[in-house]
Amino acid sequence: SEEHVSMWKHLGLNLTAHDALLKVLGDAYTDIYLAQKQRPDGMAYFDFVMSEVHGLRIKELLDEKEQGRKIIGSYCVFVPEEITLAANATLVGLCSGADFAMEEVEKYLPRNTCALIKSALGFKLGKVCPYLESADMVVGENTCDGKKKAYESLGPLLDNLYVMDLPQVKSDQGRTLLRSEYERFKVAVQDLTSVTITHESLKKAIQTVNAKRMALHRLARLRKADPVPISGLDALLANQVSFYDNPARFTESLNKICDELEKRIAANQGVSPKKNPRILMAGCPMAVPNWKLPWIVETSGAVIVGEESCVGERGIRNLTDDTGTTVDELMDAITDRYFKVDCAIFTPNSDRLNHIEEMAKDYQADGVIHYGLQFCQPYTMEAIPVENALDTKGIPSLRIETDYGMEDAGQLKTRIEAFIEML
Ligand code: BJ8
């Protein structure tokens, strides 16, 4: 609509490039999502959200800004939404799952950088991300070397980059660092919003984020059923949208879908036949519109029953204890909750191996597909111990390394079909 166009102009987007992006996104959504059979009716909400992902949702954010709220963008699940909400700010995820302005990007980053990082820079250089352009603060974090160094290049292109340091070891010192970095972040957010975080506001924020996580946990549990009541693609989409959407509305919409899925399970109704091979995906996060691998898996005779990923269970696994009676106690609880995230940047990271095995059992997966983005050292390196650990438990696994391009789609399909046939 005209209103949207003037909004995008106002944000400084490159309208031609942005149109091209929306076209690609829309086409991919039609081909991959709308082509699915027996989708839950409730997914209509997500279809709408996706059709308005650069439209109505951006308008809402700009309206919030007009009323004095601040928008904070993040690239990692280590940035606590609880702290942002408590200071009257809205957190949005900025990771993107499509190549853009690659020629420009390669003037800043070496070619052998993972697609997720390149894409983050490409969306800035190509001026196509209204979330990034709406943000009053962008948070980077010292996680993998690629991101850590890329923020040095991204920083000068923005005027509002805040970098959070993160530990790499799950030691007492590591926890102390995380706690102090969350304190420093809290102060920075308060400075940005001119709102002082109180015990009451922080507790309420914790409850809002916990409710969102509980709805996602509920969705995850329902996928244990056979036949599975929802496709992996649709469940992934719910997880992806959780990074953009208004948290309370998201929670309500997802709970409605879960009600519907419960009815499906009671009626023995699924999106794929009973005893269809069940796959657990593990590895790098999949940001919108990175749907390539799940799409190939689910059009090759299998169904995905879980994601061991930051856009999935690794990102939402634990709740934050809201019983602390002071701001400091709640900040401790937030630190404890996030310190359990088993990202591959940690060493050693044996929790992750245990979680993958546990998930494979819990979701009755017949096999695990490990998804590593090409040039992502933390995850592609961990893929090998993951495979070995699964081997000793007799759980079949397949290691995939890929990027955002479609050049390898045929070859991937051949390998994945062979894997599924063997299950
Ligand atoms: S907590 S997984 S969201 S850092 S794919 S950019 S690791 S080279 S994304 Fe992540 Fe936070 Fe960890 Fe989760 Fe680097 Fe690998 Fe690229 Fe990655």
Side-chain angles (χ1 to χ4, degrees), residues 70-263:
K70 299 290 179 189
I71 311 299
I72 300 178
S74 125
Y75 294 102
C76 178
V77 299
F78 267 101
V79 178
E81 187 174 13
E82 293 92 335
I83 294 176
T84 61
L85 288 180
N88 209 13
T90 297
L91 188 73
V92 291
L94 294 176
C95 282
S96 30
D99 291 334
F100 216 84
M102 278 305 129
E103 243 170 70
E104 275 293 294
V105 170
E106 284 174 14
K107 291 181 192 157
Y108 290 81
L109 299 172
R111 179 165 287 218
N112 58 351
T113 305
C114 95
L116 212 127
I117 297 172
K118 279 184 170 172
S119 160
L121 218 74
F123 274 53
K124 176 64 206 172
L125 293 167
K127 298 200 182 83
V128 291
C129 180
Y131 290 90
L132 182 56
E133 303 305 329
S134 308
D136 299 290
M137 179 199 255
V138 174
V139 186
E141 24 39 65
N142 295 340
T143 43
C144 62
D145 283 352
K147 283 216 259 183
K148 192 162 68 186
K149 299 306 284 183
Y151 294 127
E152 293 176 15
S153 303
L154 184 63
L157 303 172
L158 307 167
D159 52 9
N160 53 10
L161 182 72
Y162 173 97
V163 179
M164 183 183 276
D165 198 16
L166 288 184
Q168 307 210 333
V169 180
K170 299 277 175 82
S171 58
D172 290 347
Q173 294 93 316
R175 190 194 172 280
T176 305
L177 172 62
L178 189 65
R179 177 67 175 81
S180 71
E181 280 299 284
Y182 282 175
E183 194 64 37
R184 189 171 69 88
F185 180 60
K186 184 182 126 219
V187 173
V189 173
Q190 290 182 147
D191 284 349
L192 177 77
T193 58
S194 309
V195 172
T196 304
I197 293 175
T198 62
H199 174 258
E200 200 189 2
S201 70
L202 192 51
K203 187 179 170 98
K204 191 164 164 260
I206 289 174
Q207 288 167 344
T208 302
V209 183
N210 277 348
K212 174 161 85 167
R213 292 190 187 121
M214 281 190 283
L216 287 162
H217 295 171
R218 187 177 167 208
L219 172 69
R221 273 197 310 274
L222 295 170
R223 296 167 75 192
K224 293 180 182 174
D226 188 22
V228 193
I230 185 167
S231 69
L233 275 165
D234 278 335
L236 172 65
L237 187 69
N239 276 285
Q240 289 173 332
V241 168
S242 74
F243 288 86
Y244 300 85
D245 203 1
N246 171 285
R249 182 179 57 209
F250 172 86
T251 303
E252 196 193 318
S253 309
L254 184 56
N255 273 320
K256 266 191 212 143
I257 294 184
C258 289
D259 293 341
E260 187 184 344
L261 298 186
E262 274 169 6
K263 285 189 199 123

Side-chain angles (χ1 to χ4, degrees), residues 395-408:
I395 303 167
S397 69
L398 175 69
R399 260 196 284 153
I400 300 283
E401 250 181 70
T402 184
D403 57 17
Y404 289 172
M406 287 307 278
E407 293 78 18
D408 62 351

